[in-house]
Amino acid sequence: MAVFAVFQASFLLALLSFRTYQSEVLSEPLPLTPESLEVSINSAQQCLYLQWHVHNLTYHQELKMVFQIEISRIETSNVVWVENYSTPVMWNQVLHWSWESELPLECATHFVRIRSRVDDASIPELSFWSNWTSWEEVDAQNSLEEDPLVVLPKDKLVEEGSNVTICYVSRSPESNISCAVEGIPIHGERLSPNASAFILNNVRFIRETGTNIYCLSASNVSGTILFVSKVLEEPKDFSCETRDLKSLNCTWDPGRDTTLQHQFSQRYTLFESFSGKTKLCEHKKWCHWQVAPDSQETYNLTLIAENQLRRRNVSIFFNLTHRVHPMKPFNVFLKSISATNATMTWKVHPVGNYSTLLCQVALHGEGKVIQQHNVSIKVKGQYFLSELEPVTEYVTRVRCAAANHFWKWSEWTGQTFTTLEAAPSEAPDVWRNVKAELGSHIVTLFWRPLSKSHAHGKILFYNVVIENLDNPSSVKLLSIPAPANGTELTLDQCSYQIHVTANNSVGTSPASVIVISRDPGNKNVEEGRIQGTEDGFSLSWKPPSGDVRGYVVDWYPQHPHCQLQWKHLGPNTTSTVIRSNAFRPGIRYNFRIYEISTERIAYLLEKKTGYSQELAPSENPQVAVNNLTSHSFTLNWKDYSTDSQPSFIQGYHVYLKPNMEQCHPGFEKVVLSDDSVCCQYKIDNPEQKTFVLENLQPESYEFLVTPYTSVGEGPHDTFTKVTIPDEYTHVLVRVVLPMIFCLVLLLVLCYLMTQWMKEKCYPDIPDPYKSSVLSLIKYKENHHPTIMNVHDCVPDAIEVVNKLEGRKIQFLGARKSLTEMEFTKPAYLYLLPTEKYSGPGPCICFENFTYNHAASDSGSCGHVPVPLKTPPSQLALLTSPENLLKSLEQNYVTSSGESPAGETSLNYVSQLASTSGDTSGDKDSLPTNPPGPALCSEYRTQMAVSLGLASPSPSENSSLSSITLLDQGKHRH
């Protein structure tokens, strides 16, 4: 009992002690304080990593706790971040937390501390904050290199539009450090003597290689590159499909590129949730996924796009058999091609167990779809193409899709083919123009080429069959090669039926038939006027009383080289609008309307002419002035054609500019465009092309003729001037002027006759006193005051002072001609006595010194006796020729130096012949009596002989030839 009592007492004491301890614990709860706080740095990501654990937790106990974390910068009091971190905590668990700093961690010292509280409803008494842990200092500058200046962060990647803080750290305190972004200076906040921070707001993408940032001090420079990325977008149009049920081809639109270098570029990954498989895609826009061999039909694929800054994803859910996209068909062929039909065949690739595909066949012609058909096939397909045009190029294409669950058509595949030729299906459009000429019809046929849809091939030639309706057996065939579009026929006055057909390599077209009757049908029809509009020419006509097959309207411009155009109309048509792109303003077009009778004969109904748009005349008529009188004149412009003008000529304006202010009767005063005032006369008849202006005064007038139309008149160009003559002017011109001319002509004839008579009957004797040579004569000491000196001389002596070369002169009455010869010295010609001269009686020679003073000096005119018995050929000078020549040479030089160059000196010699002696005798014989002194009783005419005439050289026969200069037996007294 005692032991039991002791044990009970001990138990009670222990229980009392436990209760006492429990009451103490409950009254003062144990704090759950974070312990073992450790802080690490990740400079590349600018992050602080924290780890710690909580003591005083019982084993297997789990509490939800909140940890409050404070981060200070530079100083502990400068708190820059406070965050509550909630997490369940277990016994002996190591907790982690990270913080990304906006400022690079190396730019400043950071401090971290933490405290906690229990956030569990089961233990409300522990929901109070524990004590703070001590501050943990974090200094990252120790990890920097030894560079004197560093700019941070290094190669940082940010998204476009974000804010970025940069800083620089200097090893030594400096105050003159400047920083710039792409050359633009920036200003920041100084953190410490060695560091400053700069905030860049809303940064923009500049280039793929990054944005350049640098800082510059007095002795150092440092920089960094900031990579700016476009914001990563969520992929669009994500889709997956299969072509053979063995693989999936997934495609998407990645959106705009982030424009980063490869190491920062976005990545794409496919994840299938049912199988849990993942595949990293090699391309940015598509990716292949291998279908599982267990025939999985349902897929839930997620496309994940991510880069270092952001992550995006999009998912699709589908059944594999509903995403079948067949491959394009192959082996497409065309067979059995004809002019209008063809058969198309093709093959398709099998798609798993799908045995039926839906194929679409399309036929293209001239760039558009003509036919489209759907065909269900398995492996091979075939379709019959009909209703095709001959000689036409077609493109046929085919594509296929899944028949049960349509997803997408395959790509088109096709073939080009051309149908064969066929005979033309329509007759040529034919018209004619008929002219009657010399008892025959000139028929010009026109036809238009068949359209491609009607020609059915290349037209090779046209057949023209001419059938005489009056003689049916007379048929003529013409074959005209293409591309001719007409021909000309000459027919007699019979009726003819003409067939025109077009032919290609396959066959002949239907025939166009035209009948040419005896009467060409070109009856005189009054021509009417029409006015065209922008839409064309509107024509209407009255229908004939009888039945017609139709109507034809043809037209042509007022130009000789333009081709006829025509238009066929039905029998119930009485109006039409002619439209053509060839219509031009200012061109007149002529229209003719024909009815086609039931016999196919054309009859002219109406004629029209008009302009699509009238223009004012650009030229005025060429006006001629006729019938000019003293009071009127006539203007004429008959050559002016009104049909070739750019509008209908309604008349003419005659403008007149008189010298007086008043206008003539019928004229009215107008002001022209150049503000000049003139008189205007209006001619209302366009066919009147003459105008007479009367009651005019003898003065000058200026006129101008211009045509006028409904849209204006011709240009006011240069006026033509006309002068009205006086009424007596014609008398002066017709009578007085011819009389004056005849009088002048008569005076000229009288003067010429007088000169001729004077020259023939009494020529002038030169006046010595009027000679300029007279002043040059050098008088000798014993000269006589008279002009004429008397000397004894040999009759008929001539002194040659100068010579002329190249001439031959025949003297009148001379027996021989004198041929000019070269002489370098003066020479004398001695004349034989005439046949009536019987002796050498003395004579007196008068030498004219006015014209030859040199002869006087030399004494050349001396009395020289000539022996009569000496033959003429042996006559010689009494003095030596050499002595005489020397004497003459001196005088010749003196004379020639005083005479003008190029002139021929003349020696004038007059003589008195003796009257005694026998005057008869043979002219060929010389007098036999010796010469003796005798008086010259006969005066002979003074002779002027050119000194350029030379006698033969003295060296020939040692003598000078004698030449008779005077006519035989003729001497004047």
Side-chain angles (χ1 to χ4, degrees):
M1 279 303 287
V3 176
F4 178 76
V6 172
F7 176 78
Q8 185 177 8
S10 299
F11 176 78
L12 290 173
L13 289 174
L15 180 62
L16 180 62
S17 300
F18 176 75
R19 287 183 176 274
T20 302
Y21 173 77
Q22 185 177 16
S23 62
E24 291 179 358
V25 170
L26 291 177
S27 61
E28 296 181 7
L30 295 176
L32 301 178
T33 305
E35 297 179 359
S36 304
L37 176 61
E38 296 180 3
V39 181
S40 60
I41 299 174
N42 186 338
S43 298
Q45 297 182 1
Q46 296 182 358
C47 288
L48 291 178
Y49 290 97
L50 282 66
Q51 69 176 19
W52 69 93
H53 61 270
V54 178
H55 293 285
N56 301 329
L57 284 179
T58 58
Y59 185 69
H60 296 306
Q61 185 181 10
E62 180 177 344
L63 293 176
K64 184 177 181 182
M65 297 185 66
V66 177
F67 300 92
Q68 189 175 66
I69 305 170
E70 279 188 358
I71 300 177
S72 299
R73 182 176 295 158
I74 303 174
E75 297 178 353
T76 57
S77 60
N78 183 24
V79 178
V80 296
W81 190 265
V82 176
E83 181 178 336
N84 292 332
Y85 171 58
S86 298
T87 182
V89 180
M90 297 180 63
W91 176 78
N92 206 23
Q93 179 183 356
V94 178
L95 300 176
H96 299 273
W97 181 82
S98 64
W99 174 71
E100 182 177 357
S101 173
E102 295 179 356
L103 179 70
L105 299 176
E106 296 86 352
C107 296
T109 302
H110 289 79
F111 301 91
V112 181
R113 69 178 180 175
I114 189 173
R115 66 179 178 175
S116 63
R117 68 180 178 86
V118 176
D119 188 19
D120 198 328
S122 60
I123 310 178
E125 62 273 12
L126 295 179
S127 59
F128 60 90
W129 289 108
S130 67
N131 296 325
W132 289 101
T133 63
S134 60
W135 290 99
E136 291 290 334
E137 181 179 353
V138 180
D139 188 1
Q141 292 186 1
N142 297 328
S143 63
L144 295 177
E145 300 177 357
E146 297 298 328
D147 295 335
L149 182 63
V150 179
V151 179
L152 299 169
K154 292 292 186 181
D155 301 336
K156 183 174 180 61
L157 174 64
V158 296
E159 279 188 340
E160 186 178 32
S162 59
N163 301 330
V164 181
T165 301
I166 63 173
C167 72
Y168 70 83
V169 177
S170 176
R171 293 295 181 183
S172 60
E174 293 188 30
S175 60
N176 59 347
I177 298 177
S178 60
C179 298
V181 177
E182 292 292 331
I184 300 176
I186 55 176
H187 305 281
E189 176 187 0
R190 179 172 291 274
L191 301 178
S192 65
N194 296 348
S196 292
F198 306 87
I199 299 177
L200 303 180
N201 296 317
N202 193 20
V203 293
R204 295 298 176 185
F205 173 82
I206 297 179
R207 66 180 70 90
E208 292 185 3
T209 54
T211 301
N212 296 319
I213 303 173
Y214 62 89
C215 294
L216 181 66
S217 67
S219 58
N220 298 290
V221 61
S222 179
T224 184
I225 298 177
L226 180 65
F227 292 96
V228 181
S229 167
K230 300 285 187 180
V231 178
L232 180 65
E233 295 183 354
E234 182 180 284
K236 304 178 184 63
D237 301 328
F238 178 46
S239 175
C240 296
E241 62 186 18
T242 180
R243 313 204 74 166
D244 53 4
L245 297 180
K246 296 180 180 179
S247 63
L248 282 171
N249 183 30
C250 298
T251 59
W252 61 89
D253 178 11
R256 65 177 182 177
D257 192 7
T258 56
T259 62
L260 290 176
Q261 294 181 351
H262 180 70
Q263 63 268 25
F264 301 131
S265 180
Q266 64 266 33
R267 302 179 302 275
Y268 293 91
T269 305
L270 280 179
F271 171 72
E272 204 284 308
S273 60
F274 295 137
S275 60
K277 294 181 179 179
T278 302
K279 180 178 181 180
L280 180 63
C281 299
E282 299 177 357
H283 305 278
K284 292 184 177 181
K285 295 183 178 181
W286 58 273
C287 190
H288 284 296
W289 182 274
Q290 195 68 28
V291 174
D294 55 359
S295 299
Q296 177 184 350
E297 291 188 357
T298 303
Y299 287 82
N300 185 8
L301 284 173
T302 299
L303 175 65
I304 302 171
E306 59 183 340
N307 60 13
Q308 295 183 4
L309 302 175
R310 194 178 293 271
R311 176 188 176 100
R312 306 279 192 176
N313 61 77
V314 61
S315 301
I316 55 173
F317 180 83
F318 60 91
N319 190 301
L320 182 63
T321 59
H322 296 176
R323 297 293 182 97
V324 176
H325 182 193
M327 289 185 284
K328 67 179 182 179
F330 63 99
N331 288 350
V332 179
F333 296 103
L334 275 302
K335 61 182 181 179
S336 303
I337 300 175
S338 66
T340 58
N341 301 314
T343 300
M344 176 183 180
T345 62
W346 69 93
K347 292 183 179 180
V348 295
H349 296 277
V351 181
N353 296 327
Y354 283 86
S355 59
T356 303
L357 293 178
L358 177 65
C359 294
Q360 188 178 75
V361 177
L363 182 68
H364 295 256
E366 298 181 353
K368 59 183 179 180
V369 178
I370 300 175
Q371 300 179 16
Q372 186 168 300
H373 310 277
N374 293 333
V375 182
S376 296
I377 67 169
K378 292 185 178 181
V379 178
K380 296 181 180 181
Q382 177 176 312
Y383 189 79
F384 180 74
L385 300 172
S386 60
E387 299 180 0
L388 306 180
E389 295 292 336
V391 197
T392 303
E393 183 178 88
Y394 292 97
V395 176
T396 180
R397 301 196 303 171
V398 61
R399 61 181 179 179
C400 299
N404 296 331
H405 302 283
F406 180 84
W407 167 243
K408 283 183 181 180
W409 289 108
S410 68
E411 295 81 4
W412 287 104
T413 183
Q415 192 70 266
T416 302
F417 70 99
T418 302
T419 54
L420 303 180
E421 287 191 2
S425 61
E426 189 170 312
D429 185 1
V430 180
W431 186 234
R432 91 295 179 275
N433 187 37
V434 181
K435 294 181 181 179
E437 184 176 318
L438 298 177
S440 62
H441 293 159
I442 305 301
V443 179
T444 304
L445 293 179
F446 305 94
W447 57 80
R448 293 191 176 101
L450 293 175
S451 63
K452 182 179 179 181
S453 60
H454 295 147
H456 295 170
K458 181 180 180 181
I459 300 300
L460 303 177
F461 57 91
Y462 296 89
N463 281 336
V464 179
V465 178
I466 307 169
E467 180 182 357
N468 191 332
L469 297 180
D470 298 335
N471 184 11
S473 62
S474 176
V475 178
K476 184 178 180 181
L477 173 64
L478 298 178
S479 182
I480 301 173
N485 57 358
T487 187
E488 186 174 284
L489 306 175
T490 301
L491 305 178
D492 55 25
Q493 294 186 348
C494 297
S495 296
Y496 287 88
Q497 182 171 277
I498 301 174
H499 302 257
V500 180
T501 58
N503 299 264
N504 60 13
S505 61
V506 177
T508 302
S509 70
S512 290
V513 180
I514 288 181
V515 176
I516 308 298
S517 65
R518 296 182 181 89
D519 181 10
N522 296 334
K523 60 183 179 179
N524 293 328
V525 177
E526 183 178 356
E527 186 177 63
R529 290 185 177 182
I530 58 173
Q531 182 62 46
T533 62
E534 294 181 356
D535 295 332
F537 291 89
S538 179
L539 301 174
S540 61
W541 58 91
K542 293 181 180 181
S545 59
D547 295 336
V548 295
R549 293 179 59 91
Y551 299 93
V552 173
V553 178
D554 66 8
W555 67 93
Y556 57 93
Q558 194 73 27
H559 194 283
H561 302 292
C562 292
Q563 193 172 8
L564 183 73
Q565 301 294 327
W566 67 94
K567 180 180 181 181
H568 288 276
L569 301 169
N572 298 324
T573 304
T574 57
S575 64
T576 186
V577 176
I578 304 300
R579 297 181 177 89
S580 175
N581 294 329
F583 289 149
R584 295 291 181 267
I587 302 297
R588 180 182 291 190
Y589 294 92
N590 300 318
F591 297 86
R592 296 180 297 188
I593 303 172
Y594 291 88
E595 64 163 309
I596 308 301
S597 67
T598 55
E599 292 82 13
R600 300 179 185 272
I601 301 174
Y603 295 99
L604 180 62
L605 291 179
E606 294 183 15
K607 292 196 300 184
K608 306 283 186 180
T609 184
Y611 298 85
S612 61
Q613 181 183 350
E614 290 190 76
L615 302 177
S618 59
E619 295 181 355
N620 293 326
Q622 298 293 329
V623 181
V625 179
N626 300 325
N627 303 327
L628 181 63
T629 66
S630 60
H631 61 275
S632 67
F633 61 88
T634 302
L635 302 179
N636 181 5
W637 58 95
K638 292 183 179 181
D639 295 335
Y640 186 71
S641 175
T642 58
D643 294 338
S644 60
Q645 301 309 312
S647 57
F648 291 116
I649 303 298
Q650 297 180 352
Y652 303 93
H653 287 156
V654 179
Y655 294 96
L656 187 65
K657 287 185 178 180
N659 292 332
M660 59 180 60
E661 296 182 358
Q662 297 296 328
C663 292
H664 290 74
F667 286 81
E668 62 178 2
K669 189 174 294 185
V670 296
V671 179
L672 301 181
S673 58
D674 58 353
D675 297 333
S676 61
V677 179
C678 64
C679 299
Q680 181 195 75
Y681 185 87
K682 185 175 183 181
I683 300 175
D684 295 330
N685 183 10
E687 300 302 325
Q688 178 183 340
K689 299 181 181 179
T690 59
F691 182 72
V692 179
L693 285 90
E694 299 177 327
N695 303 322
L696 304 178
Q697 299 297 325
E699 59 184 15
S700 296
Y701 292 87
E702 295 183 25
F703 71 89
L704 175 66
V705 178
T706 62
Y708 70 87
T709 66
S710 61
V711 294
E713 63 176 335
H716 294 162
D717 50 12
T718 306
F719 279 68
T720 303
K721 187 175 183 180
V722 176
T723 301
I724 302 299
D726 188 76
E727 59 182 347
Y728 300 106
T729 303
H730 66 283
V731 177
L732 178 65
V733 173
R734 296 181 181 180
V735 178
V736 178
L737 290 182
M739 292 178 63
I740 295 175
F741 176 75
C742 293
L743 181 59
V744 171
L745 181 61
L746 181 60
L747 291 176
V748 171
L749 291 177
C750 290
Y751 174 77
L752 294 177
M753 183 61 71
T754 302
Q755 293 297 322
W756 182 80
M757 292 292 294
K758 182 179 180 181
E759 181 181 354
K760 295 297 182 182
C761 299
Y762 47 94
D764 293 337
I765 297 175
D767 186 358
Y769 288 101
K770 297 180 180 180
S771 174
S772 62
V773 183
L774 186 61
S775 63
L776 302 177
I777 299 177
K778 296 179 181 180
Y779 293 97
K780 296 182 180 181
E781 294 179 358
N782 56 353
H783 73 278
H784 299 283
T786 59
I787 297 302
M788 305 297 292
N789 293 330
V790 178
H791 298 282
D792 294 335
C793 63
V794 178
D796 302 326
I798 298 177
E799 179 185 4
V800 178
V801 180
N802 201 351
K803 67 185 181 68
L804 291 177
E805 296 181 359
R807 298 176 60 188
K808 182 176 182 181
I809 301 175
Q810 179 69 40
F811 284 89
L812 181 64
R815 296 179 182 181
K816 298 180 181 180
S817 62
L818 297 178
T819 306
E820 183 180 58
M821 301 179 65
E822 292 186 3
F823 282 89
T824 61
K825 298 180 179 181
Y828 287 92
L829 295 178
Y830 292 88
L831 307 180
L832 292 176
T834 61
E835 60 181 357
K836 293 182 180 183
Y837 181 71
S838 60
C843 67
I844 298 175
C845 176
F846 295 93
E847 191 168 340
N848 194 338
F849 283 95
T850 303
Y851 296 94
N852 190 5
H853 66 276
S856 174
D857 296 339
S858 62
S860 59
C861 192
H863 180 82
V864 182
V866 180
L868 298 177
K869 293 182 181 180
T870 304
S873 61
Q874 297 177 0
L875 290 177
L877 295 173
L878 296 179
T879 61
S880 172
E882 291 80 359
N883 295 332
L884 180 61
L885 291 175
K886 289 179 180 180
S887 176
L888 292 176
E889 179 179 4
Q890 181 180 1
N891 295 327
Y892 168 76
V893 171
T894 304
S895 176
S896 63
E898 295 173 354
S899 300
E903 295 185 1
T904 302
S905 299
L906 298 178
N907 192 21
Y908 290 84
V909 178
S910 300
Q911 60 186 359
L912 292 175
S914 178
T915 58
S916 65
D918 187 10
T919 59
S920 63
D922 189 1
K923 64 182 180 178
D924 294 331
S925 64
L926 295 173
T928 58
N929 297 326
L935 296 175
C936 297
S937 60
E938 183 181 4
Y939 178 79
R940 297 183 179 180
T941 306
Q942 178 178 266
M943 296 176 296
V945 181
S946 173
L947 297 183
L949 301 175
S951 63
S953 175
S955 62
E956 295 178 3
N957 298 327
S958 299
S959 64
L960 296 172
S961 300
S962 298
I963 302 174
T964 301
L965 296 180
L966 297 178
D967 291 341
Q968 298 177 7
K970 295 182 179 179
H971 301 275
R972 293 182 180 179
H973 300 277

